[in-house]
Every structure is written in C-alpha cells, then in structure tokens.
Amino acid sequence: MPLKLSKFHLPSPSQLIISPALHVPCSTLFFSRRHLPSQRIMAAADSDCACTDATITGVYPSPISPPYPELSKEVELHRAMSAAARSGAYAISSKDIIFEDEWLVVVNKPSGIYCETLASSLSSCSRTSALQSNLHLANRLDRDTSGLMVITKSNKVAAKLVKAFTDHKIKKTYLAFCVGNAPVWEKIKVSSGHGRSKFGAWRVYSASDVGRVLPGGSLVKSMVTSFEVLSINRQGKFRGPNKHNMDELQSVIVQEKGTEGNETDEILVRAYPESGRTHQIRLHCQHLGFSIRGDVKYGGVHEWKGMDCDFHALHAESLSFEHPITGLLVFLIAPCPSWVSDVCFTTSEGYE
C-alpha cells in the first residue's frame, strides 16, 4: 500500500526521507499531486534514495561538538559593536597591501575589522578609485580573523577566483594560538562532518553522518583539516609552511565527541584546510582539545594571563594559487601577528 502523508504534517522535500526501519523501497513512495507539484515529487524521491539515514518523523544526526556557551552571546555582542566602530574609522595603508597588479590586490586584514571595510577603503586609493564599482571580495574571513584577503578589480577575474576558492584549488594556511591539552602528535589530519544544528549553530558531526539531512534541510558535509604543531609552551622554533605533501599523515576520522581542553598548555599550530567550511579550523581545534585563545564561541578562554582577549587568535597566513590572467603561480605570506612571538620563538628566517 502506498505511504500516505497528512497534508498537515507534510515535511519539506529535503526532509522527505524514508527510515530503513520502514522497509519501504523508494519506488513505492507516492504523493498526491494535490500536495506536491511533479518537480517536487521527483526531488523528494531523489532525496529519499540518497539519504536513507534520517526519517520523516524528524530524526536527524546529532552534533558531537558542544553548543555555544552562554558567555558567548555577551562577548559576541560587545565585539560586534567594537568592530562596527573600528571598521567605520579604518583606512587602509600601503603596509596592509601585500600584492597588487592591474587585476587584483591582496590585503592583510587586521583583526576586528569587517571584510566589506577593506573594499570600501580600497576604493579611495589612487590605483583603484576608478574601479570602485568592480571591486569584489574573492574570499572572506571572520570578523576577528586576521590575514590575507583577495580583492579583484573586474567581474571576469572575480568569477575565476571565486570559482577557484569554491573548488578548493587555492591552497591556504592559517596560524592559531590555542590553549588546552598539548597534543602528543606533531602532524595530523582530521576528517569529520560539518553542518548547522537545530538552532543554527555550526557544529562538528561524525564523519559517518556526511550526506545526512539536517533540520534546516541542508546536508552534513565533509570537513578535512591537516595540522602541524609549531610550539608547545614556547618550546619550538617557528618555521614556514610545509612545502611537501601533507597527505601522508596520521589520520583521525571523527566518530564521537572530542577532548575537553584543560586550559593549561599554550600551543601554536598551523592549519592546512582541505575543505572550506564555515569556522572549520575553529571547530576542529575545539574538537582536538585546544580551542583557539579568545574564541569564546568554540570553547576558547575569554581571559588569559590576567588580560581579556579582544579577538580570537587566528591568522590567515598564506595563499598559493594560479593567477587568473597570467597563469603564473602566486605564493603570498602575510606578516605574523604579534601574538605569534608570545607563544613561539621566531626569527626573520622562519619563512623560506
């Protein structure tokens, strides 16, 4: 007998998924045209075939990272207000520009500045004022994350670079000052799921949940980050990004809850994100037991050594990509923020 759904309880097409417990083949799933247009019927059936783990009764995968702490609401509001004031007064200087040619400009964004501020500030510069209407952000950084951002000067270049970022053809590294449990490994690759939970927060999910439907109708997506430890409690010497293959590493496939940090050790890590998920590095650091200092939303300390943390200590360190016009390889590195020297011995020879 066909499966009948009440019109008063009809879920959205992205949630029309049959539980294995019902033992109903996808080919026997029928809906009245009175409830769904033919196109939505086909979309729902496709979703049923692809995602058989959830159920039409609202059983969704459970996140394995904790929800946002209550303190984060107050901290985020204060930081947002401060960033709005700071962004309004911000004026880009020549030292902030890492690279520029006639097609694009790469800028070192300060912490606590909104991305859009950079484009508007650039429009007043002599070399870009005539191109104000064609300035586009090719990538974005969180408000409190510092580091490299690419701003294009034409629609054609913007389309090419945005696609390169979306297709993960641009290699990136980040530096993060973390507080928590010192890892016993030097390098590691972490693979997990990523998605929005019931209340809209970004959370870590088990790798086995990748492809399953979430409450908002989106899917759990794969999230992969490689890490290398640069320093633990100032024991270590800063070095540049690893130019060798980072694929041959000890691999962790996340299936359960991570380690809770003990707020004891200071760790400087470099992250090599392979996917480009929202808050990816912040989430994976939290899962590994060493949240980023100041990242209150994801378990980081708000105060450290008697001082309040105004930002989270995450820095978009380097970019490597093929120039969208010339085809030449472009490799760019931003200057290290001051907090790097607080946790690791650094020298000008750190980058090769």
Side-chain angles (χ1 to χ4, degrees):
M1 178 180 295
L3 179 64
K4 296 182 179 180
L5 297 177
S6 166
K7 65 180 179 180
F8 300 106
H9 298 89
L10 185 65
S12 65
S14 60
Q15 297 173 335
L16 291 171
I17 299 162
I18 301 301
S19 166
L22 296 176
H23 300 295
V24 180
C26 292
S27 60
T28 64
L29 181 61
F30 300 100
F31 302 97
S32 168
R33 292 183 181 273
R34 180 177 56 188
H35 300 314
L36 287 175
S38 59
Q39 294 91 339
R40 295 182 68 188
I41 293 174
M42 294 303 297
D46 289 342
S47 178
D48 292 335
C49 296
C51 308
T52 57
D53 288 344
T55 73
I56 57 175
T57 57
V59 178
Y60 301 103
S62 298
I64 57 178
S65 60
Y68 299 157
E70 192 64 28
L71 175 64
S72 68
K73 296 180 181 179
E74 178 184 345
V75 172
E76 286 296 308
L77 177 60
H78 172 74
R79 289 181 179 177
M81 293 175 64
S82 297
R86 194 179 295 109
S87 297
Y90 176 76
I92 198 165
S93 67
S94 58
K95 67 180 179 62
D96 296 323
I97 299 177
I98 305 301
F99 172 85
E100 183 174 11
D101 62 17
E102 60 184 293
W103 299 288
L104 57 90
V105 55
V106 180
V107 178
N108 184 26
K109 184 185 92 68
S111 299
I113 295 291
Y114 289 106
C115 295
E116 293 77 9
T117 303
L118 297 177
S120 59
S121 183
L122 269 175
S123 66
S124 62
C125 295
S126 58
R127 295 185 64 180
T128 56
S129 57
L131 303 168
Q132 179 175 356
S133 62
N134 282 324
L135 292 178
H136 301 274
L137 300 177
N139 68 316
R140 306 182 73 87
L141 295 176
D142 295 334
R143 177 196 64 218
D144 291 346
T145 301
S146 60
L148 297 179
M149 283 189 56
V150 183
I151 301 173
T152 62
K153 299 180 180 181
S154 73
N155 294 334
K156 177 182 177 181
V157 176
K160 288 187 174 183
L161 273 180
V162 168
K163 186 175 189 306
F165 273 104
T166 302
D167 294 343
H168 313 307
K169 292 182 178 179
I170 296 181
K171 296 186 180 299
K172 301 173 284 185
T173 67
Y174 288 74
L175 295 172
F177 178 179
C178 304
V179 177
N181 303 319
V184 296
W185 42 263
E186 181 180 351
K187 298 177 183 178
I188 202 169
K189 176 184 285 189
V190 183
S191 302
S192 73
H194 170 275
R196 282 190 185 274
S197 65
K198 180 178 179 181
F199 300 104
W202 295 107
R203 308 281 285 278
V204 175
Y205 287 80
S206 168
S208 61
D209 286 331
V210 171
R212 293 183 62 187
V213 175
L214 293 168
S218 61
L219 301 179
V220 177
K221 297 182 179 179
S222 175
M223 179 166 66
V224 182
T225 314
S226 295
F227 290 93
E228 66 173 333
V229 176
L230 299 178
S231 174
I232 297 175
N233 297 324
R234 293 189 62 85
Q235 299 300 308
K237 185 176 179 180
F238 188 83
R239 57 187 181 273
N242 194 324
K243 297 180 181 179
H244 302 291
N245 196 329
M246 287 289 289
D247 291 335
E248 302 300 323
L249 301 176
Q250 174 187 347
S251 184
V252 173
I253 308 298
V254 175
Q255 301 289 358
E256 56 188 21
K257 292 182 179 180
T259 305
E260 291 188 10
N262 58 18
E263 300 182 5
T264 300
D265 299 309
E266 295 181 335
I267 308 108
L268 179 66
V269 298
R270 175 176 285 118
Y272 301 77
E274 295 185 20
S275 48
R277 309 302 177 206
T278 303
H279 300 173
Q280 171 169 333
I281 297 168
R282 299 165 63 184
L283 283 162
H284 271 167
C285 284
Q286 179 187 34
H287 181 81
L288 291 170
F290 46 78
S291 293
I292 297 172
R293 188 191 69 174
D295 192 4
V296 180
K297 184 176 286 188
Y298 296 113
V301 295
H302 181 230
E303 179 184 288
W304 186 243
K305 294 186 174 179
M307 297 184 64
D308 287 342
C309 302
D310 294 328
F311 318 107
H312 60 238
L314 181 63
H315 178 65
E317 175 193 31
S318 74
L319 288 173
S320 178
F321 59 93
E322 181 181 293
H323 195 286
I325 302 298
T326 67
L328 298 175
L329 178 64
V330 178
F331 178 67
L332 301 169
I333 293 182
C336 288
S338 59
W339 48 257
V340 172
S341 59
D342 294 338
V343 71
C344 182
F345 176 72
T346 61
T347 67
S348 58
E349 290 78 29
Y351 291 109
E352 297 178 359

